[in-house]
Amino acid sequence: MVSGDEDFFQLFPKEVRPWDSMLLWGTRFSRSSLHIDPYNWTGTNAVISGLKHWKLFPPGQDQFLNVLSNRKSEFPLNCYKYNSPVDAYEVDDQGFPDFKKARYLEIDQYPGELLLLPSGWFHQAYNMEETMAISSQFMNINNYRIILEEIIKIGNIQRSDIAPEVSKLAPEEQVKAVMSMLPKHIIERGQQITKDILEQVLNTDG
């Protein structure tokens, strides 16, 4: 059993901690890209008003999605970005002939409904009408290893520097141990990126 308030992201230094949630507004017929969420985390999406349609792709189909390689998120704590150039709602069959082999689920999401987006699933959202939603994410005992792997493999921390004993610790203590190893320049970079984003928001007209 996982506690509803168990969120290991709260163990991250505040300078590189993902924001708890984001308010999303989309016009009619707008859409996201086809992607996996940052750090391969488990995401949530709650519709406040409007109507979303989703296409959800189970793992193991990268070869059909033309996934772009070596892209970085440029988040305060960097990680690789897994995006596809394919628009699943207007597929270019000539440009992406293998996409028709991909399997996916389709769902409609109405106001008051919460969608859970599992780690490793590519997904694309399409707003059937003007829509407002709240997106969030969590890190717990079920997915913490996946997220730590994303943080390590881009080079925020050298894998060879992690003592073997760390893997024997309780999940929460493993996260604390890895976070304590983040170099000073990584923390400072995250602090500067967050500062720049907030300044852009505050200086936005209107």
Side-chain angles (χ1 to χ4, degrees), residues 78-113:
N78 218 349
C79 64
Y80 286 115
K81 181 167 63 174
Y82 304 107
N83 279 43
S84 168
V86 180
D87 184 343
Y89 290 93
E90 294 183 28
V91 181
D92 177 359
D93 293 325
Q94 289 188 328
F96 308 108
D98 288 336
F99 181 76
K100 60 180 177 291
K101 301 175 185 177
R103 298 174 293 108
Y104 56 89
L105 306 177
E106 293 188 77
I107 64 168
D108 290 327
Q109 185 186 11
Y110 295 89
E113 294 182 340

PDB file of all heavy atoms in Angstrom, residues 78-113:
ATOM      1  N   ASN A  78      18.528  18.450 -15.076  1.00  0.00           N
ATOM      2  CA  ASN A  78      18.378  18.012 -16.454  1.00  0.00           C
ATOM      3  C   ASN A  78      18.085  16.516 -16.556  1.00  0.00           C
ATOM      4  O   ASN A  78      18.451  15.722 -15.690  1.00  0.00           O
ATOM      5  CB  ASN A  78      19.640  18.342 -17.247  1.00  0.00           C
ATOM      6  CG  ASN A  78      19.338  18.804 -18.652  1.00  0.00           C
ATOM      7  OD1 ASN A  78      18.210  18.705 -19.135  1.00  0.00           O
ATOM      8  ND2 ASN A  78      20.352  19.327 -19.325  1.00  0.00           N
ATOM      9  N   CYS A  79      17.430  16.150 -17.648  1.00  0.00           N
ATOM     10  CA  CYS A  79      17.162  14.754 -17.972  1.00  0.00           C
ATOM     11  C   CYS A  79      16.951  14.672 -19.475  1.00  0.00           C
ATOM     12  O   CYS A  79      16.750  15.685 -20.149  1.00  0.00           O
ATOM     13  CB  CYS A  79      15.934  14.225 -17.222  1.00  0.00           C
ATOM     14  SG  CYS A  79      14.381  15.047 -17.658  1.00  0.00           S
ATOM     15  N   TYR A  80      17.008  13.462 -19.997  1.00  0.00           N
ATOM     16  CA  TYR A  80      16.725  13.287 -21.415  1.00  0.00           C
ATOM     17  C   TYR A  80      15.245  13.498 -21.680  1.00  0.00           C
ATOM     18  O   TYR A  80      14.395  13.265 -20.806  1.00  0.00           O
ATOM     19  CB  TYR A  80      17.161  11.908 -21.896  1.00  0.00           C
ATOM     20  CG  TYR A  80      18.660  11.770 -22.030  1.00  0.00           C
ATOM     21  CD1 TYR A  80      19.374  10.893 -21.231  1.00  0.00           C
ATOM     22  CD2 TYR A  80      19.352  12.540 -22.958  1.00  0.00           C
ATOM     23  CE1 TYR A  80      20.756  10.771 -21.347  1.00  0.00           C
ATOM     24  CE2 TYR A  80      20.731  12.432 -23.080  1.00  0.00           C
ATOM     25  CZ  TYR A  80      21.421  11.551 -22.279  1.00  0.00           C
ATOM     26  OH  TYR A  80      22.784  11.449 -22.389  1.00  0.00           O
ATOM     27  N   LYS A  81      14.953  13.947 -22.896  1.00  0.00           N
ATOM     28  CA  LYS A  81      13.581  14.200 -23.305  1.00  0.00           C
ATOM     29  C   LYS A  81      13.219  13.190 -24.380  1.00  0.00           C
ATOM     30  O   LYS A  81      13.958  13.015 -25.343  1.00  0.00           O
ATOM     31  CB  LYS A  81      13.451  15.634 -23.831  1.00  0.00           C
ATOM     32  CG  LYS A  81      12.067  16.029 -24.271  1.00  0.00           C
ATOM     33  CD  LYS A  81      11.932  17.539 -24.473  1.00  0.00           C
ATOM     34  CE  LYS A  81      12.823  18.067 -25.558  1.00  0.00           C
ATOM     35  NZ  LYS A  81      12.588  19.499 -25.846  1.00  0.00           N
ATOM     36  N   TYR A  82      12.076  12.534 -24.205  1.00  0.00           N
ATOM     37  CA  TYR A  82      11.639  11.509 -25.150  1.00  0.00           C
ATOM     38  C   TYR A  82      10.410  12.021 -25.899  1.00  0.00           C
ATOM     39  O   TYR A  82       9.277  11.945 -25.396  1.00  0.00           O
ATOM     40  CB  TYR A  82      11.335  10.210 -24.412  1.00  0.00           C
ATOM     41  CG  TYR A  82      12.500   9.716 -23.583  1.00  0.00           C
ATOM     42  CD1 TYR A  82      12.480   9.806 -22.196  1.00  0.00           C
ATOM     43  CD2 TYR A  82      13.632   9.195 -24.188  1.00  0.00           C
ATOM     44  CE1 TYR A  82      13.551   9.378 -21.437  1.00  0.00           C
ATOM     45  CE2 TYR A  82      14.721   8.758 -23.437  1.00  0.00           C
ATOM     46  CZ  TYR A  82      14.668   8.852 -22.061  1.00  0.00           C
ATOM     47  OH  TYR A  82      15.734   8.427 -21.302  1.00  0.00           O
ATOM     48  N   ASN A  83      10.656  12.552 -27.087  1.00  0.00           N
ATOM     49  CA  ASN A  83       9.588  13.107 -27.905  1.00  0.00           C
ATOM     50  C   ASN A  83       9.565  12.427 -29.264  1.00  0.00           C
ATOM     51  O   ASN A  83      10.603  12.006 -29.778  1.00  0.00           O
ATOM     52  CB  ASN A  83       9.774  14.619 -28.105  1.00  0.00           C
ATOM     53  CG  ASN A  83       9.284  15.427 -26.923  1.00  0.00           C
ATOM     54  OD1 ASN A  83       9.524  15.061 -25.786  1.00  0.00           O
ATOM     55  ND2 ASN A  83       8.610  16.522 -27.184  1.00  0.00           N
ATOM     56  N   SER A  84       8.389  12.373 -29.842  1.00  0.00           N
ATOM     57  CA  SER A  84       8.217  11.856 -31.192  1.00  0.00           C
ATOM     58  C   SER A  84       7.783  13.003 -32.102  1.00  0.00           C
ATOM     59  O   SER A  84       6.974  13.835 -31.696  1.00  0.00           O
ATOM     60  CB  SER A  84       7.159  10.751 -31.208  1.00  0.00           C
ATOM     61  OG  SER A  84       6.776  10.435 -32.541  1.00  0.00           O
ATOM     62  N   PRO A  85       8.286  13.050 -33.351  1.00  0.00           N
ATOM     63  CA  PRO A  85       7.831  14.067 -34.290  1.00  0.00           C
ATOM     64  C   PRO A  85       6.477  13.743 -34.910  1.00  0.00           C
ATOM     65  O   PRO A  85       5.914  14.558 -35.638  1.00  0.00           O
ATOM     66  CB  PRO A  85       8.931  14.069 -35.358  1.00  0.00           C
ATOM     67  CG  PRO A  85       9.441  12.665 -35.357  1.00  0.00           C
ATOM     68  CD  PRO A  85       9.373  12.221 -33.916  1.00  0.00           C
ATOM     69  N   VAL A  86       5.957  12.563 -34.614  1.00  0.00           N
ATOM     70  CA  VAL A  86       4.677  12.143 -35.186  1.00  0.00           C
ATOM     71  C   VAL A  86       3.524  12.849 -34.482  1.00  0.00           C
ATOM     72  O   VAL A  86       3.489  12.915 -33.252  1.00  0.00           O
ATOM     73  CB  VAL A  86       4.490  10.612 -35.064  1.00  0.00           C
ATOM     74  CG1 VAL A  86       3.151  10.188 -35.669  1.00  0.00           C
ATOM     75  CG2 VAL A  86       5.641   9.866 -35.720  1.00  0.00           C
ATOM     76  N   ASP A  87       2.598  13.384 -35.252  1.00  0.00           N
ATOM     77  CA  ASP A  87       1.332  13.874 -34.706  1.00  0.00           C
ATOM     78  C   ASP A  87       0.328  12.745 -34.861  1.00  0.00           C
ATOM     79  O   ASP A  87      -0.104  12.431 -35.974  1.00  0.00           O
ATOM     80  CB  ASP A  87       0.863  15.121 -35.463  1.00  0.00           C
ATOM     81  CG  ASP A  87      -0.404  15.729 -34.886  1.00  0.00           C
ATOM     82  OD1 ASP A  87      -1.107  15.036 -34.109  1.00  0.00           O
ATOM     83  OD2 ASP A  87      -0.726  16.877 -35.225  1.00  0.00           O
ATOM     84  N   ALA A  88      -0.019  12.111 -33.750  1.00  0.00           N
ATOM     85  CA  ALA A  88      -0.890  10.940 -33.800  1.00  0.00           C
ATOM     86  C   ALA A  88      -2.301  11.274 -34.266  1.00  0.00           C
ATOM     87  O   ALA A  88      -3.083  10.371 -34.570  1.00  0.00           O
ATOM     88  CB  ALA A  88      -0.946  10.269 -32.427  1.00  0.00           C
ATOM     89  N   TYR A  89      -2.632  12.563 -34.326  1.00  0.00           N
ATOM     90  CA  TYR A  89      -3.965  12.980 -34.769  1.00  0.00           C
ATOM     91  C   TYR A  89      -3.998  13.404 -36.240  1.00  0.00           C
ATOM     92  O   TYR A  89      -5.076  13.523 -36.824  1.00  0.00           O
ATOM     93  CB  TYR A  89      -4.487  14.102 -33.867  1.00  0.00           C
ATOM     94  CG  TYR A  89      -4.825  13.595 -32.491  1.00  0.00           C
ATOM     95  CD1 TYR A  89      -3.885  13.650 -31.460  1.00  0.00           C
ATOM     96  CD2 TYR A  89      -6.056  13.018 -32.220  1.00  0.00           C
ATOM     97  CE1 TYR A  89      -4.187  13.157 -30.195  1.00  0.00           C
ATOM     98  CE2 TYR A  89      -6.364  12.526 -30.969  1.00  0.00           C
ATOM     99  CZ  TYR A  89      -5.417  12.595 -29.956  1.00  0.00           C
ATOM    100  OH  TYR A  89      -5.717  12.096 -28.708  1.00  0.00           O
ATOM    101  N   GLU A  90      -2.822  13.641 -36.807  1.00  0.00           N
ATOM    102  CA  GLU A  90      -2.719  13.949 -38.236  1.00  0.00           C
ATOM    103  C   GLU A  90      -1.433  13.310 -38.741  1.00  0.00           C
ATOM    104  O   GLU A  90      -0.440  13.981 -38.987  1.00  0.00           O
ATOM    105  CB  GLU A  90      -2.712  15.460 -38.486  1.00  0.00           C
ATOM    106  CG  GLU A  90      -4.018  16.155 -38.131  1.00  0.00           C
ATOM    107  CD  GLU A  90      -3.989  17.643 -38.468  1.00  0.00           C
ATOM    108  OE1 GLU A  90      -3.265  18.036 -39.405  1.00  0.00           O
ATOM    109  OE2 GLU A  90      -4.687  18.414 -37.782  1.00  0.00           O
ATOM    110  N   VAL A  91      -1.457  12.011 -38.914  1.00  0.00           N
ATOM    111  CA  VAL A  91      -0.244  11.250 -39.204  1.00  0.00           C
ATOM    112  C   VAL A  91       0.202  11.457 -40.653  1.00  0.00           C
ATOM    113  O   VAL A  91      -0.604  11.357 -41.589  1.00  0.00           O
ATOM    114  CB  VAL A  91      -0.458   9.749 -38.932  1.00  0.00           C
ATOM    115  CG1 VAL A  91       0.822   8.972 -39.223  1.00  0.00           C
ATOM    116  CG2 VAL A  91      -0.885   9.525 -37.482  1.00  0.00           C
ATOM    117  N   ASP A  92       1.477  11.743 -40.808  1.00  0.00           N
ATOM    118  CA  ASP A  92       2.106  11.811 -42.123  1.00  0.00           C
ATOM    119  C   ASP A  92       2.534  10.392 -42.492  1.00  0.00           C
ATOM    120  O   ASP A  92       3.619   9.942 -42.114  1.00  0.00           O
ATOM    121  CB  ASP A  92       3.306  12.754 -42.074  1.00  0.00           C
ATOM    122  CG  ASP A  92       4.075  12.829 -43.384  1.00  0.00           C
ATOM    123  OD1 ASP A  92       3.693  12.132 -44.346  1.00  0.00           O
ATOM    124  OD2 ASP A  92       5.058  13.582 -43.458  1.00  0.00           O
ATOM    125  N   ASP A  93       1.695   9.679 -43.235  1.00  0.00           N
ATOM    126  CA  ASP A  93       1.965   8.276 -43.545  1.00  0.00           C
ATOM    127  C   ASP A  93       3.220   8.092 -44.391  1.00  0.00           C
ATOM    128  O   ASP A  93       3.909   7.073 -44.275  1.00  0.00           O
ATOM    129  CB  ASP A  93       0.765   7.655 -44.260  1.00  0.00           C
ATOM    130  CG  ASP A  93      -0.460   7.539 -43.366  1.00  0.00           C
ATOM    131  OD1 ASP A  93      -0.285   7.287 -42.159  1.00  0.00           O
ATOM    132  OD2 ASP A  93      -1.586   7.711 -43.861  1.00  0.00           O
ATOM    133  N   GLN A  94       3.515   9.058 -45.242  1.00  0.00           N
ATOM    134  CA  GLN A  94       4.721   8.944 -46.070  1.00  0.00           C
ATOM    135  C   GLN A  94       5.982   9.197 -45.247  1.00  0.00           C
ATOM    136  O   GLN A  94       6.990   8.513 -45.401  1.00  0.00           O
ATOM    137  CB  GLN A  94       4.659   9.931 -47.232  1.00  0.00           C
ATOM    138  CG  GLN A  94       3.631   9.548 -48.303  1.00  0.00           C
ATOM    139  CD  GLN A  94       3.737  10.428 -49.535  1.00  0.00           C
ATOM    140  OE1 GLN A  94       4.085  11.608 -49.433  1.00  0.00           O
ATOM    141  NE2 GLN A  94       3.436   9.866 -50.695  1.00  0.00           N
ATOM    142  N   GLY A  95       5.908  10.171 -44.361  1.00  0.00           N
ATOM    143  CA  GLY A  95       7.073  10.481 -43.541  1.00  0.00           C
ATOM    144  C   GLY A  95       7.326   9.471 -42.443  1.00  0.00           C
ATOM    145  O   GLY A  95       8.478   9.239 -42.048  1.00  0.00           O
ATOM    146  N   PHE A  96       6.253   8.857 -41.936  1.00  0.00           N
ATOM    147  CA  PHE A  96       6.365   7.917 -40.811  1.00  0.00           C
ATOM    148  C   PHE A  96       5.568   6.647 -41.116  1.00  0.00           C
ATOM    149  O   PHE A  96       4.543   6.362 -40.480  1.00  0.00           O
ATOM    150  CB  PHE A  96       5.857   8.577 -39.523  1.00  0.00           C
ATOM    151  CG  PHE A  96       6.491   9.911 -39.241  1.00  0.00           C
ATOM    152  CD1 PHE A  96       5.767  11.087 -39.385  1.00  0.00           C
ATOM    153  CD2 PHE A  96       7.821   9.993 -38.856  1.00  0.00           C
ATOM    154  CE1 PHE A  96       6.346  12.313 -39.127  1.00  0.00           C
ATOM    155  CE2 PHE A  96       8.409  11.224 -38.598  1.00  0.00           C
ATOM    156  CZ  PHE A  96       7.675  12.392 -38.732  1.00  0.00           C
ATOM    157  N   PRO A  97       6.025   5.844 -42.085  1.00  0.00           N
ATOM    158  CA  PRO A  97       5.252   4.669 -42.529  1.00  0.00           C
ATOM    159  C   PRO A  97       5.088   3.585 -41.472  1.00  0.00           C
ATOM    160  O   PRO A  97       4.115   2.822 -41.518  1.00  0.00           O
ATOM    161  CB  PRO A  97       6.060   4.153 -43.727  1.00  0.00           C
ATOM    162  CG  PRO A  97       7.457   4.674 -43.502  1.00  0.00           C
ATOM    163  CD  PRO A  97       7.273   6.008 -42.842  1.00  0.00           C
ATOM    164  N   ASP A  98       6.016   3.512 -40.509  1.00  0.00           N
ATOM    165  CA  ASP A  98       5.933   2.455 -39.491  1.00  0.00           C
ATOM    166  C   ASP A  98       4.947   2.774 -38.376  1.00  0.00           C
ATOM    167  O   ASP A  98       4.623   1.895 -37.570  1.00  0.00           O
ATOM    168  CB  ASP A  98       7.311   2.196 -38.875  1.00  0.00           C
ATOM    169  CG  ASP A  98       8.253   1.487 -39.836  1.00  0.00           C
ATOM    170  OD1 ASP A  98       7.758   0.816 -40.760  1.00  0.00           O
ATOM    171  OD2 ASP A  98       9.481   1.623 -39.664  1.00  0.00           O
ATOM    172  N   PHE A  99       4.473   4.020 -38.324  1.00  0.00           N
ATOM    173  CA  PHE A  99       3.597   4.408 -37.218  1.00  0.00           C
ATOM    174  C   PHE A  99       2.316   3.576 -37.204  1.00  0.00           C
ATOM    175  O   PHE A  99       1.755   3.310 -36.137  1.00  0.00           O
ATOM    176  CB  PHE A  99       3.243   5.891 -37.307  1.00  0.00           C
ATOM    177  CG  PHE A  99       2.360   6.365 -36.175  1.00  0.00           C
ATOM    178  CD1 PHE A  99       2.888   6.579 -34.919  1.00  0.00           C
ATOM    179  CD2 PHE A  99       1.004   6.565 -36.372  1.00  0.00           C
ATOM    180  CE1 PHE A  99       2.087   6.989 -33.868  1.00  0.00           C
ATOM    181  CE2 PHE A  99       0.188   6.976 -35.334  1.00  0.00           C
ATOM    182  CZ  PHE A  99       0.725   7.194 -34.074  1.00  0.00           C
ATOM    183  N   LYS A 100       1.861   3.142 -38.359  1.00  0.00           N
ATOM    184  CA  LYS A 100       0.611   2.364 -38.419  1.00  0.00           C
ATOM    185  C   LYS A 100       0.728   1.030 -37.683  1.00  0.00           C
ATOM    186  O   LYS A 100      -0.287   0.383 -37.385  1.00  0.00           O
ATOM    187  CB  LYS A 100       0.187   2.134 -39.866  1.00  0.00           C
ATOM    188  CG  LYS A 100       1.173   1.371 -40.720  1.00  0.00           C
ATOM    189  CD  LYS A 100       0.629   1.213 -42.146  1.00  0.00           C
ATOM    190  CE  LYS A 100       1.627   0.523 -43.065  1.00  0.00           C
ATOM    191  NZ  LYS A 100       2.809   1.370 -43.332  1.00  0.00           N
ATOM    192  N   LYS A 101       1.957   0.611 -37.367  1.00  0.00           N
ATOM    193  CA  LYS A 101       2.160  -0.642 -36.624  1.00  0.00           C
ATOM    194  C   LYS A 101       2.017  -0.445 -35.115  1.00  0.00           C
ATOM    195  O   LYS A 101       1.935  -1.431 -34.370  1.00  0.00           O
ATOM    196  CB  LYS A 101       3.551  -1.203 -36.919  1.00  0.00           C
ATOM    197  CG  LYS A 101       3.813  -1.489 -38.387  1.00  0.00           C
ATOM    198  CD  LYS A 101       5.258  -1.932 -38.596  1.00  0.00           C
ATOM    199  CE  LYS A 101       5.597  -2.100 -40.060  1.00  0.00           C
ATOM    200  NZ  LYS A 101       7.035  -2.467 -40.255  1.00  0.00           N
ATOM    201  N   ALA A 102       1.998   0.809 -34.683  1.00  0.00           N
ATOM    202  CA  ALA A 102       1.935   1.089 -33.244  1.00  0.00           C
ATOM    203  C   ALA A 102       0.548   0.777 -32.685  1.00  0.00           C
ATOM    204  O   ALA A 102      -0.474   1.008 -33.342  1.00  0.00           O
ATOM    205  CB  ALA A 102       2.285   2.546 -32.986  1.00  0.00           C
ATOM    206  N   ARG A 103       0.529   0.258 -31.470  1.00  0.00           N
ATOM    207  CA  ARG A 103      -0.735  -0.027 -30.766  1.00  0.00           C
ATOM    208  C   ARG A 103      -0.956   1.068 -29.720  1.00  0.00           C
ATOM    209  O   ARG A 103      -0.007   1.530 -29.081  1.00  0.00           O
ATOM    210  CB  ARG A 103      -0.661  -1.388 -30.063  1.00  0.00           C
ATOM    211  CG  ARG A 103      -0.459  -2.567 -30.994  1.00  0.00           C
ATOM    212  CD  ARG A 103      -0.248  -3.853 -30.227  1.00  0.00           C
ATOM    213  NE  ARG A 103       1.017  -3.822 -29.487  1.00  0.00           N
ATOM    214  CZ  ARG A 103       1.112  -3.709 -28.181  1.00  0.00           C
ATOM    215  NH1 ARG A 103       0.028  -3.592 -27.428  1.00  0.00           N
ATOM    216  NH2 ARG A 103       2.304  -3.702 -27.584  1.00  0.00           N
ATOM    217  N   TYR A 104      -2.195   1.466 -29.559  1.00  0.00           N
ATOM    218  CA  TYR A 104      -2.479   2.495 -28.563  1.00  0.00           C
ATOM    219  C   TYR A 104      -3.918   2.396 -28.065  1.00  0.00           C
ATOM    220  O   TYR A 104      -4.790   1.773 -28.702  1.00  0.00           O
ATOM    221  CB  TYR A 104      -2.208   3.899 -29.126  1.00  0.00           C
ATOM    222  CG  TYR A 104      -2.942   4.256 -30.389  1.00  0.00           C
ATOM    223  CD1 TYR A 104      -4.209   4.835 -30.358  1.00  0.00           C
ATOM    224  CD2 TYR A 104      -2.368   4.039 -31.638  1.00  0.00           C
ATOM    225  CE1 TYR A 104      -4.885   5.180 -31.514  1.00  0.00           C
ATOM    226  CE2 TYR A 104      -3.028   4.380 -32.809  1.00  0.00           C
ATOM    227  CZ  TYR A 104      -4.275   4.947 -32.747  1.00  0.00           C
ATOM    228  OH  TYR A 104      -4.931   5.280 -33.904  1.00  0.00           O
ATOM    229  N   LEU A 105      -4.141   3.013 -26.918  1.00  0.00           N
ATOM    230  CA  LEU A 105      -5.471   3.122 -26.333  1.00  0.00           C
ATOM    231  C   LEU A 105      -5.994   4.525 -26.579  1.00  0.00           C
ATOM    232  O   LEU A 105      -5.214   5.486 -26.608  1.00  0.00           O
ATOM    233  CB  LEU A 105      -5.419   2.851 -24.830  1.00  0.00           C
ATOM    234  CG  LEU A 105      -4.770   1.542 -24.371  1.00  0.00           C
ATOM    235  CD1 LEU A 105      -4.738   1.488 -22.847  1.00  0.00           C
ATOM    236  CD2 LEU A 105      -5.499   0.338 -24.935  1.00  0.00           C
ATOM    237  N   GLU A 106      -7.279   4.671 -26.716  1.00  0.00           N
ATOM    238  CA  GLU A 106      -7.897   5.982 -26.870  1.00  0.00           C
ATOM    239  C   GLU A 106      -8.950   6.173 -25.789  1.00  0.00           C
ATOM    240  O   GLU A 106      -9.748   5.263 -25.528  1.00  0.00           O
ATOM    241  CB  GLU A 106      -8.563   6.123 -28.236  1.00  0.00           C
ATOM    242  CG  GLU A 106      -7.598   6.135 -29.407  1.00  0.00           C
ATOM    243  CD  GLU A 106      -8.290   6.461 -30.721  1.00  0.00           C
ATOM    244  OE1 GLU A 106      -8.603   7.648 -30.957  1.00  0.00           O
ATOM    245  OE2 GLU A 106      -8.526   5.516 -31.494  1.00  0.00           O
ATOM    246  N   ILE A 107      -8.955   7.340 -25.166  1.00  0.00           N
ATOM    247  CA  ILE A 107      -9.959   7.632 -24.156  1.00  0.00           C
ATOM    248  C   ILE A 107     -10.380   9.098 -24.251  1.00  0.00           C
ATOM    249  O   ILE A 107      -9.617   9.942 -24.712  1.00  0.00           O
ATOM    250  CB  ILE A 107      -9.457   7.347 -22.718  1.00  0.00           C
ATOM    251  CG1 ILE A 107      -8.284   8.272 -22.367  1.00  0.00           C
ATOM    252  CG2 ILE A 107      -9.079   5.895 -22.531  1.00  0.00           C
ATOM    253  CD1 ILE A 107      -7.939   8.258 -20.898  1.00  0.00           C
ATOM    254  N   ASP A 108     -11.587   9.373 -23.818  1.00  0.00           N
ATOM    255  CA  ASP A 108     -12.059  10.738 -23.623  1.00  0.00           C
ATOM    256  C   ASP A 108     -12.019  11.035 -22.131  1.00  0.00           C
ATOM    257  O   ASP A 108     -12.371  10.178 -21.302  1.00  0.00           O
ATOM    258  CB  ASP A 108     -13.491  10.905 -24.137  1.00  0.00           C
ATOM    259  CG  ASP A 108     -13.574  10.845 -25.654  1.00  0.00           C
ATOM    260  OD1 ASP A 108     -12.620  11.293 -26.311  1.00  0.00           O
ATOM    261  OD2 ASP A 108     -14.591  10.340 -26.180  1.00  0.00           O
ATOM    262  N   GLN A 109     -11.615  12.246 -21.784  1.00  0.00           N
ATOM    263  CA  GLN A 109     -11.523  12.657 -20.385  1.00  0.00           C
ATOM    264  C   GLN A 109     -12.407  13.882 -20.168  1.00  0.00           C
ATOM    265  O   GLN A 109     -12.206  14.916 -20.804  1.00  0.00           O
ATOM    266  CB  GLN A 109     -10.077  12.953 -19.997  1.00  0.00           C
ATOM    267  CG  GLN A 109      -9.886  13.269 -18.523  1.00  0.00           C
ATOM    268  CD  GLN A 109      -8.458  13.693 -18.196  1.00  0.00           C
ATOM    269  OE1 GLN A 109      -7.659  13.943 -19.091  1.00  0.00           O
ATOM    270  NE2 GLN A 109      -8.144  13.765 -16.907  1.00  0.00           N
ATOM    271  N   TYR A 110     -13.340  13.747 -19.232  1.00  0.00           N
ATOM    272  CA  TYR A 110     -14.330  14.790 -18.970  1.00  0.00           C
ATOM    273  C   TYR A 110     -14.017  15.523 -17.662  1.00  0.00           C
ATOM    274  O   TYR A 110     -13.222  15.038 -16.851  1.00  0.00           O
ATOM    275  CB  TYR A 110     -15.730  14.159 -18.899  1.00  0.00           C
ATOM    276  CG  TYR A 110     -16.189  13.567 -20.207  1.00  0.00           C
ATOM    277  CD1 TYR A 110     -15.909  12.238 -20.534  1.00  0.00           C
ATOM    278  CD2 TYR A 110     -16.912  14.338 -21.119  1.00  0.00           C
ATOM    279  CE1 TYR A 110     -16.318  11.691 -21.744  1.00  0.00           C
ATOM    280  CE2 TYR A 110     -17.342  13.793 -22.329  1.00  0.00           C
ATOM    281  CZ  TYR A 110     -17.037  12.479 -22.630  1.00  0.00           C
ATOM    282  OH  TYR A 110     -17.445  11.948 -23.837  1.00  0.00           O
ATOM    283  N   PRO A 111     -14.641  16.683 -17.446  1.00  0.00           N
ATOM    284  CA  PRO A 111     -14.415  17.422 -16.200  1.00  0.00           C
ATOM    285  C   PRO A 111     -14.658  16.555 -14.965  1.00  0.00           C
ATOM    286  O   PRO A 111     -15.623  15.779 -14.924  1.00  0.00           O
ATOM    287  CB  PRO A 111     -15.425  18.573 -16.284  1.00  0.00           C
ATOM    288  CG  PRO A 111     -15.601  18.798 -17.744  1.00  0.00           C
ATOM    289  CD  PRO A 111     -15.537  17.420 -18.364  1.00  0.00           C
ATOM    290  N   GLY A 112     -13.764  16.671 -13.997  1.00  0.00           N
ATOM    291  CA  GLY A 112     -13.875  15.889 -12.771  1.00  0.00           C
ATOM    292  C   GLY A 112     -13.170  14.554 -12.829  1.00  0.00           C
ATOM    293  O   GLY A 112     -13.082  13.861 -11.812  1.00  0.00           O
ATOM    294  N   GLU A 113     -12.651  14.189 -13.996  1.00  0.00           N
ATOM    295  CA  GLU A 113     -11.962  12.906 -14.128  1.00  0.00           C
ATOM    296  C   GLU A 113     -10.454  13.095 -14.039  1.00  0.00           C
ATOM    297  O   GLU A 113      -9.900  14.079 -14.542  1.00  0.00           O
ATOM    298  CB  GLU A 113     -12.330  12.239 -15.453  1.00  0.00           C
ATOM    299  CG  GLU A 113     -13.784  11.829 -15.531  1.00  0.00           C
ATOM    300  CD  GLU A 113     -14.132  11.119 -16.819  1.00  0.00           C
ATOM    301  OE1 GLU A 113     -13.396  11.250 -17.815  1.00  0.00           O
ATOM    302  OE2 GLU A 113     -15.171  10.426 -16.844  1.00  0.00           O
TER     303      GLU A 113
END
